[in-house]
């Protein structure tokens, strides 16, 4: 709740104002003790007191990149989004230089191009000293005009990426911004006028002496000097305009080359990212196909192994059935042969009546012995039992 943007705040450049600070720096600010203790519950009115207590500026410092109180207050201003009049009063404050820098930094992040040039360029005339905490935690001495120049000309300041703004000559060409007028220009013009007047006085004094001795007209000489001075002023103005135009064209060429190089590098980076994404997609497809082939081979191998195992099981079952069938057929054939052998002995007994009683007696003895049992296994067991003097099995 304490880190949310004010619901009444407007979006800046199409996004949440706090998103103008990178996520890593934003999370470090949220975890810092100064943010939790000193920035909690601040409003646009109470923020001024905290800004007046600042004694240095900077982004992050130290090995774990701790944010400075200056950056925490900038984050708080992005969160509560004070009105433009309050920010302008921050910038126009001459008593507290760090309050001025805080307002200028916030306006550079959230203001329009015209407002940035209109309110920040007058600060070029502020030469007061400032303390800036560097990345290694040491303090460096800088000046207010140096900070303003970094805000207007560089892309990064205090470890924050500054939004891109239009060049000044572009705004001048479309008429939204007036040409810059330096504060020192009036002093230069006054100095030039003073020098010109001194030269005129010296020339007039010299001409009077010369006319006194040579009889020349002082009025004509004065008019000639005035014409000569007018021509000199016109030449000086023309040279100043030419010099200003040359600087402007040179800055415009430099800006054009910079923009062209930036666009070229950005296009190369975009092509490089596109090639990297294409290679990554190709590698991903190749890995997916390889995994699919590996899984298919594994499934085919498992299916073949299962099929071979099923075939072996079926073969063993078939062999067992054949073995049982042969065993049953063999036992039937043996029992059939025994029955056939028993029937074929009866005609012999009919044909030879003398031997019939003997055979009946032998047969009776065999029946008592149990060795003529139809089951071969029982017959074999009866033989053993007879040898041992035991009763035969029935």
């Amino acid at each position: 709740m304490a880190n949310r943007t004010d619901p009444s705040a407007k979006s800046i450049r199409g996004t949440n104002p706090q998103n103008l600070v990178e996520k890593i720096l934003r999370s470090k600010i949220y975890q810092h003790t100064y943010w939790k203790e000193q920035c909690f519950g601040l409003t646009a009115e109470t923020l001024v007191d905290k800004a007046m207590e600042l004694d240095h500026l900077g982004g992050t410092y130290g090995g774990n990149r701790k944010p400075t109180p200056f950056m925490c207050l900038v984050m708080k201003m992005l969160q509560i989004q004070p009105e433009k009049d309050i920010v302008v009063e921050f910038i126009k404050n001459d008593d507290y230089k760090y309050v001025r820098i805080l307002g200028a930094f916030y306006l550079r992040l959230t203001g329009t191009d015209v407002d940035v040039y209109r309110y920040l360029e007058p600060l070029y005339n502020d030469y007061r000293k400032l303390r800036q905490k560097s990345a290694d935690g040491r303090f460096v001495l800088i000046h207010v005009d140096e900070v303003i120049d970094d805000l207007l000309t560089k892309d990064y300041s205090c470890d924050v990426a500054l939004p891109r703004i239009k060049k000044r000559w572009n705004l001048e060409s479309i008429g939204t911004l007036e040409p810059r007028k330096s504060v020192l220009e009036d002093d230069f013009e006054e100095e030039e006028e003073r020098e010109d007047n001194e030269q005129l006085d010296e020339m007039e004094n010299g001409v009077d002496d010369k006319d006194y001795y040579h009889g020349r007209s002082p009025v004509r000489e004065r008019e000639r000097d005035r014409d000569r001075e007018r021509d000199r002023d016109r030449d000086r103005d023309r040279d100043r305009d030419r010099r200003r135009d040359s600087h402007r064209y040179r800055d415009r060429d430099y800006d054009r080359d910079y923009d062209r190089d930036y666009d070229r590098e950005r296009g190369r980076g975009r092509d490089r990212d596109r090639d990297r994404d294409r290679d990554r997609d190709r590698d991903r497809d190749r890995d997916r196909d390889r995994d699919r082939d590996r899984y298919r081979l594994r499934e085919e191998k498992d299916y073949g192994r299962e099929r071979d195992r099923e075939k072996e099981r079926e073969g063993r079952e078939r062999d067992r059935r054949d073995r049982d069938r042969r065993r049953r057929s063999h036992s039937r054939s043996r029992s059939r042969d025994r029955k056939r052998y028993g029937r074929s002995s009866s005609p012999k007994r009919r044909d030879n009546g003398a031997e019939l009683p003997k055979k009946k007696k032998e047969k009776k003895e065999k029946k008592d012995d149990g060795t003529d049992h139809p089951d071969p296994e029982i017959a074999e067991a009866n033989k053993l039992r007879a040898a041992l003097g035991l009763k035969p099995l029935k």
Side-chain angles (χ1 to χ4, degrees):
M1 294 292 292
N3 299 333
R4 288 186 180 178
T5 308
D6 189 1
S8 61
K10 299 179 181 179
S11 61
I12 303 298
R13 304 181 188 275
T15 183
N16 190 338
Q18 294 193 75
N19 292 339
L20 296 175
V21 180
E22 288 82 353
K23 181 175 177 56
I24 298 177
L25 180 56
R26 197 163 63 241
S27 61
K28 289 181 180 296
I29 291 174
Y30 291 157
Q31 297 172 4
H32 198 259
T33 308
Y34 185 86
W35 171 266
K36 296 178 180 179
E37 296 179 356
Q38 305 296 330
C39 297
F40 181 78
L42 287 182
T43 61
E45 291 79 10
T46 57
L47 182 68
V48 182
D49 299 333
K50 296 296 180 182
M52 291 167 59
E53 296 176 0
L54 291 175
D55 58 354
H56 66 279
L57 61 95
T60 57
Y61 66 94
N64 53 0
R65 313 301 295 173
K66 295 180 181 179
T68 58
F70 176 83
M71 189 52 58
C72 293
L73 292 180
V74 171
M75 194 68 185
K76 193 64 181 181
M77 292 182 69
L78 292 174
Q79 183 181 3
I80 63 178
Q81 197 178 47
E83 296 180 359
K84 182 180 177 181
D85 298 337
I86 298 177
V87 178
V88 173
E89 290 299 327
F90 276 23
I91 297 174
K92 292 182 178 180
N93 191 343
D94 294 333
D95 298 331
Y96 298 95
K97 50 189 176 182
Y98 292 104
V99 175
R100 168 173 284 187
I101 295 299
L102 182 64
F105 195 90
Y106 175 77
L107 184 65
R108 177 64 178 85
L109 290 176
T110 60
T112 61
D113 300 342
V114 178
D115 290 340
V116 169
Y117 284 108
R118 182 178 299 165
Y119 292 108
L120 264 63
E121 281 184 345
L123 302 184
Y124 274 127
N125 302 316
D126 192 349
Y127 305 110
R128 288 180 291 181
K129 297 178 181 180
L130 297 173
R131 290 201 312 167
Q132 184 178 16
K133 183 172 283 190
S134 58
D136 56 357
R138 299 179 180 178
F139 289 102
V140 181
L141 183 63
I142 57 174
H143 299 81
V144 176
D145 58 335
E146 295 179 10
V147 178
I148 299 302
D149 187 67
D150 292 341
L151 293 178
L152 292 178
T153 58
K154 293 185 178 180
D155 297 332
Y156 275 87
S157 180
C158 297
D159 298 331
V160 176
L162 302 176
R164 291 182 61 86
I165 57 176
K166 295 180 181 179
K167 302 299 179 182
R168 198 182 202 292
W169 62 270
N170 284 332
L171 299 176
E172 291 180 2
S173 61
I174 61 179
T176 57
L177 190 65
E178 297 179 356
R180 181 188 172 193
K181 184 178 180 181
S182 177
V183 180
L184 302 177
E185 188 172 355
D186 297 336
D187 297 337
F188 288 149
E189 291 179 356
E190 292 177 0
E191 186 68 24
E192 290 178 356
E193 290 179 359
R194 190 181 302 108
E195 292 178 356
D196 294 340
N197 292 330
E198 290 178 357
Q199 291 179 0
L200 286 175
D201 294 339
E202 292 178 358
M203 292 177 64
E204 287 178 358
N205 294 330
V207 168
D208 292 340
D209 295 340
K210 191 180 295 183
D211 291 338
Y212 178 78
Y213 289 103
H214 296 279
R216 293 184 179 180
S217 173
V219 177
R220 188 178 301 171
E221 290 293 334
R222 193 178 297 110
E223 291 178 356
R224 189 181 298 111
D225 293 338
R226 192 179 297 110
D227 295 336
R228 191 181 301 109
E229 188 64 28
R230 191 182 300 112
D231 295 336
R232 190 182 298 110
D233 294 338
R234 191 183 298 112
D235 295 337
R236 190 183 299 109
D237 295 337
R238 191 183 299 111
D239 293 339
R240 188 187 302 114
D241 296 338
R242 190 183 298 112
R243 188 164 51 253
R244 186 185 298 116
D245 294 338
S246 64
H247 289 305
R248 184 181 304 168
Y249 292 147
R250 184 177 59 188
D251 295 340
R252 184 167 56 190
D253 295 338
Y254 174 76
D255 295 336
R256 189 186 301 112
D257 295 338
Y258 177 78
D259 294 338
R260 189 184 300 114
D261 295 339
Y262 178 78
D263 295 337
R264 188 183 299 112
E265 291 297 331
R266 185 171 58 182
R268 290 177 182 172
R270 194 181 299 113
D271 296 338
R272 196 178 302 112
D273 294 339
R274 192 182 301 112
D275 295 338
R276 191 182 300 110
D277 294 339
R278 191 184 300 113
D279 295 338
R280 191 183 299 112
D281 294 338
R282 191 183 300 114
D283 295 338
R284 191 184 301 111
D285 295 338
R286 190 185 302 112
D287 295 338
R288 191 184 300 113
D289 296 338
R290 189 183 299 113
D291 294 339
R292 190 184 300 113
D293 295 339
R294 188 185 301 113
Y295 292 148
R296 187 170 61 251
L297 291 175
R298 185 182 302 169
E299 291 175 359
E300 291 178 356
K301 189 182 297 182
D302 295 340
Y303 175 73
R305 190 181 299 110
E306 188 67 25
R307 187 172 54 188
D308 295 341
R309 193 179 297 113
E310 188 67 26
K311 285 183 179 180
E312 291 177 1
R313 192 181 301 110
E314 292 178 358
R316 287 196 299 271
E317 188 68 24
R318 193 182 302 110
D319 294 340
R320 188 178 59 79
R321 287 198 299 269
D322 293 342
R323 224 172 16 252
D324 294 342
R325 193 181 298 110
R326 284 196 300 271
R327 189 182 298 113
R328 285 195 298 271
S329 63
H330 183 65
S331 62
R332 286 199 201 96
S333 62
R334 290 180 62 181
S335 62
R336 195 180 300 115
D337 292 341
R338 291 194 198 96
K339 289 180 182 179
R340 187 181 298 116
Y341 177 73
R343 291 195 193 98
S344 62
S345 61
S346 59
K348 291 182 181 181
R349 288 195 298 269
R350 287 192 205 98
D351 293 340
N352 195 355
E355 295 179 357
L356 184 61
K358 186 178 180 181
K359 288 183 178 180
K360 282 184 178 179
K361 189 176 181 180
E362 291 177 359
K363 186 175 181 181
K364 188 175 181 182
E365 291 176 359
K366 287 180 181 180
K367 285 182 179 179
D368 295 338
D369 196 1
T371 57
D372 56 349
H373 198 277
D375 193 349
E377 294 180 357
I378 297 177
E380 189 70 25
N382 288 333
K383 285 181 183 181
L384 293 174
R385 294 177 72 85
L388 296 173
L390 299 174
K391 250 185 204 183
L393 299 173
K394 294 183 180 180

